[in-house]
Amino acid sequence: MATKAALREQILTQLNKMDQATYEKRSQVIAEQLFQEKMWQNATTIGITIARFPEIATQAIIKQAWQDGKVVSIPETDNKTKSMQFRVYEDGDELCKKALGLYEPLESAAVVPKTKVDLLIVPGVLFRTDGYRIGFGAGFYDRYLDGYQGATISLCYPEQITTTFKPEPHDLPVQKLVIENNLK
């Protein structure tokens, strides 16, 4: 069985071949599917990343959340402690680019307690249909999910679904996968 690192590299190489127009179209299809989910409709505060290619684009999702009157929060990571917290992100807020190349909120943005995030949209590279995932390798979400009580969803392309990895004891599954063109 291939290592998580090898599987991660393999799928990212495949996804990175996608052209921009295809990427935008596929991300929009997945976003529209997300908006049909009860977890989305019932949430008042969401946790979501500012995605980077080839992750499912999140800007349209964030804009829809604002239009729906939801509080949007994005993660702030601490590489020293390997921890993460979410901070409020409002239209027009300035972001800073961190060590991992992710755009994160400024420290002046209000912290959103873990108990206040209704829906966490959890990024990942590979997924099993039972919700277990291989992330990007830093472990921030694995640590954050420990003790998190809200709803969890991951967005993915069909080619990100696999059965070729076994979850580790610290891995926690997401409750729902929103798979492109799969309205289960």
Side-chain angles (χ1 to χ4, degrees):
M1 188 174 288
T3 66
K4 282 186 174 183
L7 291 168
R8 183 182 298 117
E9 186 176 326
Q10 180 183 357
I11 191 65
L12 286 174
T13 298
Q14 180 182 348
L15 293 175
N16 274 311
K17 294 177 182 173
M18 198 178 339
D19 65 72
Q20 189 66 30
T22 301
Y23 168 69
E24 290 172 10
K25 183 178 180 186
R26 293 182 78 185
S27 290
Q28 188 58 42
V29 166
I30 295 167
E32 293 298 331
Q33 287 176 227
L34 172 65
F35 304 148
Q36 301 308 310
E37 293 290 335
K38 288 277 185 245
M39 287 179 179
W40 169 267
Q41 294 167 1
N42 294 335
T44 57
T45 302
I46 64 166
I48 189 169
T49 61
I50 305 292
R52 13 172 228 182
F53 180 84
E55 290 178 88
I56 311 303
T58 56
Q59 276 310 111
I61 295 168
I62 291 167
K63 286 179 183 170
Q64 185 64 50
W66 289 331
Q67 288 176 7
D68 292 350
K70 299 180 189 304
V71 174
V72 174
S73 62
I74 60 174
E76 172 192 38
T77 57
D78 183 331
N79 279 323
K80 288 185 181 126
T81 63
K82 295 294 184 192
S83 64
M84 176 172 79
Q85 65 181 350
F86 282 79
R87 292 185 180 268
V88 172
Y89 176 51
E90 296 177 331
D91 196 7
D93 280 0
E94 188 178 336
L95 299 172
C96 59
K97 194 169 186 178
K98 289 290 226 12
L100 297 173
L102 297 172
Y103 285 94
E104 298 190 8
L106 301 180
E107 289 183 13
S108 58
V111 172
V112 178
K114 191 185 278 196
T115 56
K116 296 293 185 197
V117 178
D118 301 302
L119 174 62
L120 188 60
I121 299 175
V122 182
V125 178
L126 281 169
F127 302 89
R128 291 179 9 156
T129 55
D130 59 5
Y132 284 97
R133 57 183 264 289
I134 294 177
F136 287 86
F140 288 106
Y141 276 87
D142 291 323
R143 284 185 283 286
Y144 190 85
L145 285 169
D146 186 25
Y148 175 73
Q149 299 296 311
T152 54
I153 285 182
S154 286
L155 312 175
C156 51
Y157 305 110
E159 55 267 39
Q160 290 178 281
I161 304 298
T162 186
T163 57
T164 57
F165 73 92
K166 185 177 181 197
E168 294 175 8
H170 66 270
D171 291 338
L172 296 168
V174 295
Q175 295 164 334
K176 175 84 178 170
L177 296 178
V178 175
I179 306 166
E180 178 189 22
N181 294 320
N182 184 355
L183 298 173
K184 286 185 180 176

